[in-house]
PDB file of all heavy atoms in Angstrom:
ATOM      1  N   ASN A1184     -14.500-137.726 128.173  1.00  0.00           N
ATOM      2  CA  ASN A1184     -15.298-136.623 127.634  1.00  0.00           C
ATOM      3  C   ASN A1184     -16.701-136.578 128.223  1.00  0.00           C
ATOM      4  O   ASN A1184     -17.247-135.495 128.468  1.00  0.00           O
ATOM      5  CB  ASN A1184     -15.355-136.693 126.109  1.00  0.00           C
ATOM      6  CG  ASN A1184     -14.063-136.209 125.491  1.00  0.00           C
ATOM      7  OD1 ASN A1184     -13.641-135.088 125.710  1.00  0.00           O
ATOM      8  ND2 ASN A1184     -13.421-137.078 124.732  1.00  0.00           N
ATOM      9  N   LEU A1185     -17.262-137.729 128.471  1.00  0.00           N
ATOM     10  CA  LEU A1185     -18.572-137.786 129.112  1.00  0.00           C
ATOM     11  C   LEU A1185     -18.479-137.211 130.530  1.00  0.00           C
ATOM     12  O   LEU A1185     -19.370-136.483 130.973  1.00  0.00           O
ATOM     13  CB  LEU A1185     -19.069-139.230 129.137  1.00  0.00           C
ATOM     14  CG  LEU A1185     -20.513-139.473 129.519  1.00  0.00           C
ATOM     15  CD1 LEU A1185     -21.466-138.644 128.682  1.00  0.00           C
ATOM     16  CD2 LEU A1185     -20.831-140.959 129.380  1.00  0.00           C
ATOM     17  N   GLY A1186     -17.383-137.502 131.216  1.00  0.00           N
ATOM     18  CA  GLY A1186     -17.156-136.922 132.541  1.00  0.00           C
ATOM     19  C   GLY A1186     -17.101-135.409 132.494  1.00  0.00           C
ATOM     20  O   GLY A1186     -17.682-134.725 133.342  1.00  0.00           O
ATOM     21  N   VAL A1187     -16.436-134.870 131.504  1.00  0.00           N
ATOM     22  CA  VAL A1187     -16.322-133.415 131.359  1.00  0.00           C
ATOM     23  C   VAL A1187     -17.698-132.792 131.124  1.00  0.00           C
ATOM     24  O   VAL A1187     -18.059-131.809 131.775  1.00  0.00           O
ATOM     25  CB  VAL A1187     -15.329-133.042 130.233  1.00  0.00           C
ATOM     26  CG1 VAL A1187     -15.393-131.549 129.922  1.00  0.00           C
ATOM     27  CG2 VAL A1187     -13.907-133.447 130.619  1.00  0.00           C
ATOM     28  N   VAL A1188     -18.498-133.367 130.209  1.00  0.00           N
ATOM     29  CA  VAL A1188     -19.804-132.759 129.930  1.00  0.00           C
ATOM     30  C   VAL A1188     -20.777-132.950 131.092  1.00  0.00           C
ATOM     31  O   VAL A1188     -21.641-132.098 131.314  1.00  0.00           O
ATOM     32  CB  VAL A1188     -20.431-133.221 128.589  1.00  0.00           C
ATOM     33  CG1 VAL A1188     -19.558-132.832 127.419  1.00  0.00           C
ATOM     34  CG2 VAL A1188     -20.752-134.694 128.578  1.00  0.00           C
ATOM     35  N   MET A1189     -20.626-134.024 131.841  1.00  0.00           N
ATOM     36  CA  MET A1189     -21.453-134.195 133.047  1.00  0.00           C
ATOM     37  C   MET A1189     -21.098-133.106 134.057  1.00  0.00           C
ATOM     38  O   MET A1189     -21.981-132.474 134.642  1.00  0.00           O
ATOM     39  CB  MET A1189     -21.235-135.580 133.675  1.00  0.00           C
ATOM     40  CG  MET A1189     -21.745-136.727 132.860  1.00  0.00           C
ATOM     41  SD  MET A1189     -23.489-136.985 133.119  1.00  0.00           S
ATOM     42  CE  MET A1189     -23.739-138.562 132.360  1.00  0.00           C
ATOM     43  N   ALA A1190     -19.811-132.884 134.244  1.00  0.00           N
ATOM     44  CA  ALA A1190     -19.353-131.855 135.187  1.00  0.00           C
ATOM     45  C   ALA A1190     -19.782-130.464 134.730  1.00  0.00           C
ATOM     46  O   ALA A1190     -20.162-129.626 135.550  1.00  0.00           O
ATOM     47  CB  ALA A1190     -17.837-131.935 135.338  1.00  0.00           C
ATOM     48  N   GLN A1191     -19.743-130.210 133.432  1.00  0.00           N
ATOM     49  CA  GLN A1191     -20.181-128.916 132.897  1.00  0.00           C
ATOM     50  C   GLN A1191     -21.676-128.682 133.116  1.00  0.00           C
ATOM     51  O   GLN A1191     -22.123-127.540 133.133  1.00  0.00           O
ATOM     52  CB  GLN A1191     -19.854-128.813 131.400  1.00  0.00           C
ATOM     53  CG  GLN A1191     -18.379-128.651 131.133  1.00  0.00           C
ATOM     54  CD  GLN A1191     -18.039-128.741 129.652  1.00  0.00           C
ATOM     55  OE1 GLN A1191     -18.813-129.248 128.837  1.00  0.00           O
ATOM     56  NE2 GLN A1191     -16.856-128.259 129.300  1.00  0.00           N
ATOM     57  N   ALA A1192     -22.426-129.761 133.302  1.00  0.00           N
ATOM     58  CA  ALA A1192     -23.863-129.660 133.580  1.00  0.00           C
ATOM     59  C   ALA A1192     -24.114-129.529 135.093  1.00  0.00           C
ATOM     60  O   ALA A1192     -25.223-129.762 135.559  1.00  0.00           O
ATOM     61  CB  ALA A1192     -24.595-130.868 133.023  1.00  0.00           C
ATOM     62  N   ASP A1193     -23.072-129.157 135.821  1.00  0.00           N
ATOM     63  CA  ASP A1193     -23.137-128.978 137.280  1.00  0.00           C
ATOM     64  C   ASP A1193     -23.464-130.256 138.034  1.00  0.00           C
ATOM     65  O   ASP A1193     -24.057-130.209 139.111  1.00  0.00           O
ATOM     66  CB  ASP A1193     -24.125-127.863 137.655  1.00  0.00           C
ATOM     67  CG  ASP A1193     -23.593-126.488 137.297  1.00  0.00           C
ATOM     68  OD1 ASP A1193     -22.359-126.297 137.333  1.00  0.00           O
ATOM     69  OD2 ASP A1193     -24.409-125.614 136.978  1.00  0.00           O
ATOM     70  N   LEU A1194     -23.082-131.386 137.483  1.00  0.00           N
ATOM     71  CA  LEU A1194     -23.222-132.656 138.189  1.00  0.00           C
ATOM     72  C   LEU A1194     -21.881-132.997 138.819  1.00  0.00           C
ATOM     73  O   LEU A1194     -20.854-132.990 138.130  1.00  0.00           O
ATOM     74  CB  LEU A1194     -23.633-133.774 137.225  1.00  0.00           C
ATOM     75  CG  LEU A1194     -25.010-133.635 136.585  1.00  0.00           C
ATOM     76  CD1 LEU A1194     -25.182-134.655 135.467  1.00  0.00           C
ATOM     77  CD2 LEU A1194     -26.095-133.798 137.631  1.00  0.00           C
ATOM     78  N   CYS A1195     -21.887-133.263 140.104  1.00  0.00           N
ATOM     79  CA  CYS A1195     -20.667-133.709 140.776  1.00  0.00           C
ATOM     80  C   CYS A1195     -20.333-135.079 140.194  1.00  0.00           C
ATOM     81  O   CYS A1195     -21.114-136.026 140.327  1.00  0.00           O
ATOM     82  CB  CYS A1195     -20.898-133.783 142.277  1.00  0.00           C
ATOM     83  SG  CYS A1195     -19.448-134.369 143.166  1.00  0.00           S
ATOM     84  N   THR A1196     -19.176-135.175 139.529  1.00  0.00           N
ATOM     85  CA  THR A1196     -18.841-136.357 138.732  1.00  0.00           C
ATOM     86  C   THR A1196     -17.508-136.938 139.163  1.00  0.00           C
ATOM     87  O   THR A1196     -16.546-136.213 139.403  1.00  0.00           O
ATOM     88  CB  THR A1196     -18.781-135.980 137.235  1.00  0.00           C
ATOM     89  OG1 THR A1196     -20.005-135.341 136.867  1.00  0.00           O
ATOM     90  CG2 THR A1196     -18.558-137.193 136.362  1.00  0.00           C
ATOM     91  N   ILE A1197     -17.472-138.270 139.245  1.00  0.00           N
ATOM     92  CA  ILE A1197     -16.222-138.993 139.513  1.00  0.00           C
ATOM     93  C   ILE A1197     -16.040-140.014 138.399  1.00  0.00           C
ATOM     94  O   ILE A1197     -16.968-140.752 138.068  1.00  0.00           O
ATOM     95  CB  ILE A1197     -16.250-139.719 140.874  1.00  0.00           C
ATOM     96  CG1 ILE A1197     -16.421-138.728 142.026  1.00  0.00           C
ATOM     97  CG2 ILE A1197     -14.974-140.551 141.061  1.00  0.00           C
ATOM     98  CD1 ILE A1197     -16.623-139.380 143.390  1.00  0.00           C
ATOM     99  N   ILE A1198     -14.840-140.042 137.832  1.00  0.00           N
ATOM    100  CA  ILE A1198     -14.466-141.092 136.887  1.00  0.00           C
ATOM    101  C   ILE A1198     -13.612-142.087 137.669  1.00  0.00           C
ATOM    102  O   ILE A1198     -12.688-141.692 138.385  1.00  0.00           O
ATOM    103  CB  ILE A1198     -13.673-140.539 135.693  1.00  0.00           C
ATOM    104  CG1 ILE A1198     -14.552-139.618 134.852  1.00  0.00           C
ATOM    105  CG2 ILE A1198     -13.105-141.682 134.844  1.00  0.00           C
ATOM    106  CD1 ILE A1198     -13.813-138.915 133.727  1.00  0.00           C
ATOM    107  N   VAL A1199     -13.926-143.376 137.525  1.00  0.00           N
ATOM    108  CA  VAL A1199     -13.163-144.427 138.195  1.00  0.00           C
ATOM    109  C   VAL A1199     -12.583-145.333 137.120  1.00  0.00           C
ATOM    110  O   VAL A1199     -13.321-145.899 136.314  1.00  0.00           O
ATOM    111  CB  VAL A1199     -14.061-145.245 139.158  1.00  0.00           C
ATOM    112  CG1 VAL A1199     -13.230-146.292 139.894  1.00  0.00           C
ATOM    113  CG2 VAL A1199     -14.775-144.329 140.150  1.00  0.00           C
ATOM    114  N   ASP A1200     -11.264-145.458 137.112  1.00  0.00           N
ATOM    115  CA  ASP A1200     -10.612-146.305 136.115  1.00  0.00           C
ATOM    116  C   ASP A1200     -10.576-147.735 136.641  1.00  0.00           C
ATOM    117  O   ASP A1200      -9.714-148.099 137.429  1.00  0.00           O
ATOM    118  CB  ASP A1200      -9.206-145.801 135.803  1.00  0.00           C
ATOM    119  CG  ASP A1200      -8.682-146.375 134.490  1.00  0.00           C
ATOM    120  OD1 ASP A1200      -9.217-147.414 134.035  1.00  0.00           O
ATOM    121  OD2 ASP A1200      -7.739-145.792 133.924  1.00  0.00           O
ATOM    122  N   THR A1201     -11.548-148.535 136.211  1.00  0.00           N
ATOM    123  CA  THR A1201     -11.597-149.935 136.618  1.00  0.00           C
ATOM    124  C   THR A1201     -11.029-150.856 135.537  1.00  0.00           C
ATOM    125  O   THR A1201     -11.268-152.061 135.562  1.00  0.00           O
ATOM    126  CB  THR A1201     -13.044-150.359 136.970  1.00  0.00           C
ATOM    127  OG1 THR A1201     -13.914-149.993 135.907  1.00  0.00           O
ATOM    128  CG2 THR A1201     -13.500-149.724 138.264  1.00  0.00           C
ATOM    129  N   ASP A1202     -10.267-150.283 134.620  1.00  0.00           N
ATOM    130  CA  ASP A1202      -9.509-151.117 133.690  1.00  0.00           C
ATOM    131  C   ASP A1202      -8.211-151.450 134.412  1.00  0.00           C
ATOM    132  O   ASP A1202      -7.234-150.689 134.357  1.00  0.00           O
ATOM    133  CB  ASP A1202      -9.243-150.389 132.371  1.00  0.00           C
ATOM    134  CG  ASP A1202      -8.633-151.314 131.329  1.00  0.00           C
ATOM    135  OD1 ASP A1202      -8.014-152.332 131.721  1.00  0.00           O
ATOM    136  OD2 ASP A1202      -8.763-151.023 130.133  1.00  0.00           O
ATOM    137  N   LEU A1203      -8.231-152.554 135.128  1.00  0.00           N
ATOM    138  CA  LEU A1203      -7.088-152.936 135.961  1.00  0.00           C
ATOM    139  C   LEU A1203      -6.067-153.756 135.189  1.00  0.00           C
ATOM    140  O   LEU A1203      -5.204-154.397 135.777  1.00  0.00           O
ATOM    141  CB  LEU A1203      -7.585-153.715 137.193  1.00  0.00           C
ATOM    142  CG  LEU A1203      -8.608-152.981 138.067  1.00  0.00           C
ATOM    143  CD1 LEU A1203      -8.995-153.834 139.272  1.00  0.00           C
ATOM    144  CD2 LEU A1203      -8.091-151.628 138.507  1.00  0.00           C
ATOM    145  N   ARG A1204      -6.150-153.698 133.872  1.00  0.00           N
ATOM    146  CA  ARG A1204      -5.192-154.384 133.004  1.00  0.00           C
ATOM    147  C   ARG A1204      -4.403-153.381 132.162  1.00  0.00           C
ATOM    148  O   ARG A1204      -3.185-153.469 132.072  1.00  0.00           O
ATOM    149  CB  ARG A1204      -5.911-155.390 132.110  1.00  0.00           C
ATOM    150  CG  ARG A1204      -6.560-156.506 132.914  1.00  0.00           C
ATOM    151  CD  ARG A1204      -7.469-157.354 132.081  1.00  0.00           C
ATOM    152  NE  ARG A1204      -8.258-158.261 132.884  1.00  0.00           N
ATOM    153  CZ  ARG A1204      -7.909-159.508 133.188  1.00  0.00           C
ATOM    154  NH1 ARG A1204      -6.768-159.994 132.769  1.00  0.00           N
ATOM    155  NH2 ARG A1204      -8.710-160.265 133.910  1.00  0.00           N
ATOM    156  N   GLN A1205      -5.113-152.431 131.538  1.00  0.00           N
ATOM    157  CA  GLN A1205      -4.467-151.389 130.739  1.00  0.00           C
ATOM    158  C   GLN A1205      -5.152-150.057 131.020  1.00  0.00           C
ATOM    159  O   GLN A1205      -5.881-149.532 130.171  1.00  0.00           O
ATOM    160  CB  GLN A1205      -4.534-151.725 129.252  1.00  0.00           C
ATOM    161  CG  GLN A1205      -3.725-152.938 128.882  1.00  0.00           C
ATOM    162  CD  GLN A1205      -3.711-153.203 127.389  1.00  0.00           C
ATOM    163  OE1 GLN A1205      -4.628-152.830 126.663  1.00  0.00           O
ATOM    164  NE2 GLN A1205      -2.662-153.838 126.935  1.00  0.00           N
ATOM    165  N   PRO A1206      -4.913-149.499 132.196  1.00  0.00           N
ATOM    166  CA  PRO A1206      -5.579-148.247 132.566  1.00  0.00           C
ATOM    167  C   PRO A1206      -5.129-147.085 131.689  1.00  0.00           C
ATOM    168  O   PRO A1206      -3.989-147.046 131.231  1.00  0.00           O
ATOM    169  CB  PRO A1206      -5.163-148.038 134.020  1.00  0.00           C
ATOM    170  CG  PRO A1206      -3.886-148.797 134.163  1.00  0.00           C
ATOM    171  CD  PRO A1206      -3.981-149.959 133.220  1.00  0.00           C
ATOM    172  N   THR A1207      -6.053-146.147 131.461  1.00  0.00           N
ATOM    173  CA  THR A1207      -5.772-145.032 130.560  1.00  0.00           C
ATOM    174  C   THR A1207      -6.117-143.674 131.145  1.00  0.00           C
ATOM    175  O   THR A1207      -5.532-142.672 130.757  1.00  0.00           O
ATOM    176  CB  THR A1207      -6.573-145.224 129.253  1.00  0.00           C
ATOM    177  OG1 THR A1207      -6.282-146.512 128.723  1.00  0.00           O
ATOM    178  CG2 THR A1207      -6.229-144.187 128.215  1.00  0.00           C
ATOM    179  N   GLN A1208      -7.072-143.619 132.057  1.00  0.00           N
ATOM    180  CA  GLN A1208      -7.559-142.325 132.536  1.00  0.00           C
ATOM    181  C   GLN A1208      -6.450-141.452 133.110  1.00  0.00           C
ATOM    182  O   GLN A1208      -6.445-140.234 132.912  1.00  0.00           O
ATOM    183  CB  GLN A1208      -8.694-142.505 133.552  1.00  0.00           C
ATOM    184  CG  GLN A1208      -9.958-143.097 132.961  1.00  0.00           C
ATOM    185  CD  GLN A1208     -10.567-142.252 131.867  1.00  0.00           C
ATOM    186  OE1 GLN A1208     -10.546-141.029 131.907  1.00  0.00           O
ATOM    187  NE2 GLN A1208     -11.135-142.910 130.863  1.00  0.00           N
ATOM    188  N   HIS A1209      -5.490-142.036 133.803  1.00  0.00           N
ATOM    189  CA  HIS A1209      -4.396-141.224 134.359  1.00  0.00           C
ATOM    190  C   HIS A1209      -3.574-140.564 133.242  1.00  0.00           C
ATOM    191  O   HIS A1209      -3.070-139.454 133.421  1.00  0.00           O
ATOM    192  CB  HIS A1209      -3.501-142.055 135.283  1.00  0.00           C
ATOM    193  CG  HIS A1209      -2.701-143.106 134.577  1.00  0.00           C
ATOM    194  ND1 HIS A1209      -3.248-144.290 134.120  1.00  0.00           N
ATOM    195  CD2 HIS A1209      -1.398-143.145 134.244  1.00  0.00           C
ATOM    196  CE1 HIS A1209      -2.310-145.016 133.549  1.00  0.00           C
ATOM    197  NE2 HIS A1209      -1.170-144.343 133.599  1.00  0.00           N
ATOM    198  N   LYS A1210      -3.474-141.222 132.093  1.00  0.00           N
ATOM    199  CA  LYS A1210      -2.757-140.643 130.961  1.00  0.00           C
ATOM    200  C   LYS A1210      -3.572-139.499 130.346  1.00  0.00           C
ATOM    201  O   LYS A1210      -3.017-138.458 129.996  1.00  0.00           O
ATOM    202  CB  LYS A1210      -2.474-141.706 129.901  1.00  0.00           C
ATOM    203  CG  LYS A1210      -1.517-142.783 130.367  1.00  0.00           C
ATOM    204  CD  LYS A1210      -1.366-143.858 129.308  1.00  0.00           C
ATOM    205  CE  LYS A1210      -0.536-145.014 129.827  1.00  0.00           C
ATOM    206  NZ  LYS A1210      -0.501-146.128 128.878  1.00  0.00           N
ATOM    207  N   ILE A1211      -4.878-139.709 130.198  1.00  0.00           N
ATOM    208  CA  ILE A1211      -5.739-138.686 129.609  1.00  0.00           C
ATOM    209  C   ILE A1211      -5.693-137.405 130.442  1.00  0.00           C
ATOM    210  O   ILE A1211      -5.575-136.309 129.896  1.00  0.00           O
ATOM    211  CB  ILE A1211      -7.186-139.206 129.468  1.00  0.00           C
ATOM    212  CG1 ILE A1211      -7.245-140.329 128.423  1.00  0.00           C
ATOM    213  CG2 ILE A1211      -8.151-138.074 129.102  1.00  0.00           C
ATOM    214  CD1 ILE A1211      -8.582-141.055 128.345  1.00  0.00           C
ATOM    215  N   PHE A1212      -5.784-137.555 131.766  1.00  0.00           N
ATOM    216  CA  PHE A1212      -5.820-136.385 132.647  1.00  0.00           C
ATOM    217  C   PHE A1212      -4.429-135.983 133.166  1.00  0.00           C
ATOM    218  O   PHE A1212      -4.310-135.045 133.943  1.00  0.00           O
ATOM    219  CB  PHE A1212      -6.786-136.625 133.812  1.00  0.00           C
ATOM    220  CG  PHE A1212      -8.225-136.624 133.367  1.00  0.00           C
ATOM    221  CD1 PHE A1212      -8.917-137.811 133.196  1.00  0.00           C
ATOM    222  CD2 PHE A1212      -8.879-135.428 133.095  1.00  0.00           C
ATOM    223  CE1 PHE A1212     -10.247-137.805 132.775  1.00  0.00           C
ATOM    224  CE2 PHE A1212     -10.196-135.404 132.676  1.00  0.00           C
ATOM    225  CZ  PHE A1212     -10.880-136.604 132.515  1.00  0.00           C
ATOM    226  N   ARG A1213      -3.404-136.722 132.738  1.00  0.00           N
ATOM    227  CA  ARG A1213      -2.012-136.404 133.070  1.00  0.00           C
ATOM    228  C   ARG A1213      -1.783-136.301 134.578  1.00  0.00           C
ATOM    229  O   ARG A1213      -1.318-135.274 135.087  1.00  0.00           O
ATOM    230  CB  ARG A1213      -1.574-135.122 132.366  1.00  0.00           C
ATOM    231  CG  ARG A1213      -1.602-135.277 130.867  1.00  0.00           C
ATOM    232  CD  ARG A1213      -1.130-134.033 130.166  1.00  0.00           C
ATOM    233  NE  ARG A1213      -1.169-134.269 128.737  1.00  0.00           N
ATOM    234  CZ  ARG A1213      -1.404-133.337 127.853  1.00  0.00           C
ATOM    235  NH1 ARG A1213      -1.586-132.088 128.234  1.00  0.00           N
ATOM    236  NH2 ARG A1213      -1.424-133.622 126.577  1.00  0.00           N
ATOM    237  N   VAL A1214      -2.137-137.399 135.259  1.00  0.00           N
ATOM    238  CA  VAL A1214      -1.935-137.485 136.703  1.00  0.00           C
ATOM    239  C   VAL A1214      -1.217-138.800 137.003  1.00  0.00           C
ATOM    240  O   VAL A1214      -1.238-139.733 136.198  1.00  0.00           O
ATOM    241  CB  VAL A1214      -3.273-137.406 137.477  1.00  0.00           C
ATOM    242  CG1 VAL A1214      -3.956-136.067 137.239  1.00  0.00           C
ATOM    243  CG2 VAL A1214      -4.196-138.554 137.127  1.00  0.00           C
ATOM    244  N   PRO A1215      -0.571-138.897 138.167  1.00  0.00           N
ATOM    245  CA  PRO A1215       0.101-140.155 138.530  1.00  0.00           C
ATOM    246  C   PRO A1215      -0.896-141.289 138.752  1.00  0.00           C
ATOM    247  O   PRO A1215      -2.058-141.055 139.064  1.00  0.00           O
ATOM    248  CB  PRO A1215       0.821-139.815 139.845  1.00  0.00           C
ATOM    249  CG  PRO A1215       0.695-138.351 140.039  1.00  0.00           C
ATOM    250  CD  PRO A1215      -0.387-137.841 139.153  1.00  0.00           C
ATOM    251  N   ASN A1216      -0.411-142.508 138.624  1.00  0.00           N
ATOM    252  CA  ASN A1216      -1.240-143.688 138.851  1.00  0.00           C
ATOM    253  C   ASN A1216      -0.624-144.565 139.936  1.00  0.00           C
ATOM    254  O   ASN A1216      -0.615-145.780 139.844  1.00  0.00           O
ATOM    255  CB  ASN A1216      -1.409-144.490 137.554  1.00  0.00           C
ATOM    256  CG  ASN A1216      -2.448-145.593 137.690  1.00  0.00           C
ATOM    257  OD1 ASN A1216      -3.347-145.510 138.504  1.00  0.00           O
ATOM    258  ND2 ASN A1216      -2.307-146.627 136.882  1.00  0.00           N
ATOM    259  N   SER A1217      -0.102-143.940 140.971  1.00  0.00           N
ATOM    260  CA  SER A1217       0.585-144.693 142.019  1.00  0.00           C
ATOM    261  C   SER A1217      -0.372-145.367 142.995  1.00  0.00           C
ATOM    262  O   SER A1217      -0.016-146.349 143.634  1.00  0.00           O
ATOM    263  CB  SER A1217       1.552-143.780 142.772  1.00  0.00           C
ATOM    264  OG  SER A1217       0.860-142.630 143.229  1.00  0.00           O
ATOM    265  N   SER A1218      -1.582-144.849 143.114  1.00  0.00           N
ATOM    266  CA  SER A1218      -2.580-145.478 143.977  1.00  0.00           C
ATOM    267  C   SER A1218      -3.953-145.228 143.369  1.00  0.00           C
ATOM    268  O   SER A1218      -4.109-144.390 142.488  1.00  0.00           O
ATOM    269  CB  SER A1218      -2.503-144.913 145.397  1.00  0.00           C
ATOM    270  OG  SER A1218      -2.858-143.547 145.403  1.00  0.00           O
ATOM    271  N   GLY A1219      -4.944-145.976 143.847  1.00  0.00           N
ATOM    272  CA  GLY A1219      -6.287-145.810 143.284  1.00  0.00           C
ATOM    273  C   GLY A1219      -7.236-146.910 143.686  1.00  0.00           C
ATOM    274  O   GLY A1219      -7.308-147.299 144.847  1.00  0.00           O
ATOM    275  N   VAL A1220      -7.951-147.448 142.704  1.00  0.00           N
ATOM    276  CA  VAL A1220      -8.991-148.450 142.937  1.00  0.00           C
ATOM    277  C   VAL A1220      -8.447-149.667 143.675  1.00  0.00           C
ATOM    278  O   VAL A1220      -9.065-150.151 144.628  1.00  0.00           O
ATOM    279  CB  VAL A1220      -9.646-148.891 141.602  1.00  0.00           C
ATOM    280  CG1 VAL A1220     -10.596-150.053 141.813  1.00  0.00           C
ATOM    281  CG2 VAL A1220     -10.366-147.731 140.953  1.00  0.00           C
ATOM    282  N   THR A1221      -7.310-150.170 143.243  1.00  0.00           N
ATOM    283  CA  THR A1221      -6.782-151.379 143.892  1.00  0.00           C
ATOM    284  C   THR A1221      -6.495-151.127 145.367  1.00  0.00           C
ATOM    285  O   THR A1221      -6.718-152.014 146.190  1.00  0.00           O
ATOM    286  CB  THR A1221      -5.521-151.901 143.181  1.00  0.00           C
ATOM    287  OG1 THR A1221      -4.581-150.841 143.033  1.00  0.00           O
ATOM    288  CG2 THR A1221      -5.860-152.484 141.822  1.00  0.00           C
ATOM    289  N   ASP A1222      -6.043-149.934 145.712  1.00  0.00           N
ATOM    290  CA  ASP A1222      -5.811-149.615 147.121  1.00  0.00           C
ATOM    291  C   ASP A1222      -7.123-149.627 147.898  1.00  0.00           C
ATOM    292  O   ASP A1222      -7.183-150.114 149.032  1.00  0.00           O
ATOM    293  CB  ASP A1222      -5.131-148.245 147.257  1.00  0.00           C
ATOM    294  CG  ASP A1222      -3.764-148.238 146.620  1.00  0.00           C
ATOM    295  OD1 ASP A1222      -2.811-148.728 147.242  1.00  0.00           O
ATOM    296  OD2 ASP A1222      -3.664-147.772 145.470  1.00  0.00           O
ATOM    297  N   LEU A1223      -8.175-149.075 147.296  1.00  0.00           N
ATOM    298  CA  LEU A1223      -9.487-149.054 147.949  1.00  0.00           C
ATOM    299  C   LEU A1223     -10.043-150.465 148.134  1.00  0.00           C
ATOM    300  O   LEU A1223     -10.734-150.744 149.106  1.00  0.00           O
ATOM    301  CB  LEU A1223     -10.467-148.196 147.141  1.00  0.00           C
ATOM    302  CG  LEU A1223     -10.189-146.698 147.128  1.00  0.00           C
ATOM    303  CD1 LEU A1223     -11.070-145.996 146.102  1.00  0.00           C
ATOM    304  CD2 LEU A1223     -10.387-146.099 148.511  1.00  0.00           C
ATOM    305  N   LEU A1224      -9.741-151.352 147.207  1.00  0.00           N
ATOM    306  CA  LEU A1224     -10.256-152.714 147.296  1.00  0.00           C
ATOM    307  C   LEU A1224      -9.433-153.605 148.223  1.00  0.00           C
ATOM    308  O   LEU A1224      -9.981-154.491 148.882  1.00  0.00           O
ATOM    309  CB  LEU A1224     -10.319-153.345 145.898  1.00  0.00           C
ATOM    310  CG  LEU A1224     -11.309-152.707 144.936  1.00  0.00           C
ATOM    311  CD1 LEU A1224     -11.198-153.338 143.555  1.00  0.00           C
ATOM    312  CD2 LEU A1224     -12.728-152.800 145.469  1.00  0.00           C
TER     313      LEU A1224
END
């Protein structure tokens, strides 16, 4: 929700799910979680 209100304030916003044990952001935004932070690292 903080990401949404930041974006609504015309701020270019990125949410990064660094919960590498029980990630949730992909569920909230209903997107796949096949790749992400771990791939970048």
Side-chain angles (χ1 to χ4, degrees):
N1184 283 302
L1185 191 53
V1187 170
V1188 298
M1189 292 277 192
Q1191 288 172 341
D1193 288 329
L1194 295 169
C1195 178
T1196 306
I1197 299 173
I1198 294 174
V1199 183
D1200 198 340
T1201 51
D1202 188 336
L1203 303 182
R1204 296 170 190 268
Q1205 294 184 334
T1207 306
Q1208 294 299 324
H1209 68 284
K1210 294 176 186 174
I1211 293 172
F1212 289 102
R1213 297 182 179 149
V1214 297
N1216 190 26
S1217 53
S1218 65
V1220 173
T1221 52
D1222 297 280
L1223 291 170
L1224 294 175

